Amino acid sequence: LGWCVAAVLVVIGLLAWSWRAAVVVLLVNVPALAVVVGLMGALGLPLNSITVMVSAVVLGIAVDDSIHWVVFHRQEVARGAGAAAVRRTLEHKLVPMACTTGILVAALSVLALSSFPPVADFGLLSSAALLASLLSAVFVLPALVGRRGANEG
């Protein structure tokens, strides 16, 4: 997971963004990782070769919504949207983010029906984490970016 976080940070930081944007995108996805660890503890799920991958996989998928959100927000700010940039970004990105997350959660939830416990655990944990990531992207990301935000480097 450490290498995954470092790779995401470097890639986002280098893609014509800023290091601040990279940190914000990663911070927004911390709740999703906390859901994985919390559920594993609460449900007594073992750490095995499949469940150990959940956080890295979820981080890779969850960062996508945050990146789309921040890029669109930066475009709105550049167009002169000012204080309305956050609202306009939510208006344009909420439905696509919810749809992609819903599709992924539905697909991964099927894995939770598996008779092989590690696969079922992967489906349950990744679905819950992606939902947490969506909620974080909808509520936490606008708050962080709207405060002088991730657009400055």
Side-chain angles (χ1 to χ4, degrees):
L1 180 62
W3 284 106
C4 184
V5 169
V8 168
L9 184 65
V10 168
V11 169
I12 294 170
L14 292 176
L15 287 177
W17 283 30
S18 69
W19 295 108
R20 185 176 291 164
V23 170
V24 167
V25 166
L26 283 174
L27 285 176
V28 167
N29 289 289
V30 167
L33 304 178
V35 164
V36 171
V37 174
L39 271 177
M40 286 182 72
L43 299 175
L45 300 177
L47 188 61
N48 57 42
S49 61
I50 293 182
T51 57
V52 78
M53 293 186 305
V54 173
S55 292
V57 169
V58 165
L59 182 63
I61 295 171
V63 164
D64 187 52
D65 281 344
S66 301
I67 291 171
H68 284 285
W69 201 100
V70 171
V71 167
F72 192 87
H73 181 265
R74 289 184 80 194
Q75 292 169 347
E76 286 299 305
V77 169
R79 287 185 192 115
V86 169
R87 179 185 51 78
R88 290 170 68 174
T89 302
L90 279 172
E91 288 172 354
H92 284 86
K93 291 298 176 180
L94 181 59
V95 171
M97 287 167 51
C99 286
T100 56
T101 301
I103 291 167
L104 288 168
V105 167
L108 290 166
S109 293
V110 172
L111 296 177
L113 303 174
S114 174
S115 60
F116 186 52
V119 172
D121 296 345
F122 182 87
L124 172 72
L125 293 171
S126 55
S127 295
L130 287 173
L131 285 174
S133 175
L134 175 64
L135 292 174
S136 185
V138 170
F139 295 107
V140 177
L141 184 56
L144 289 175
V145 172
R147 304 180 63 186
R148 259 186 68 89
N151 300 320
E152 301 170 7

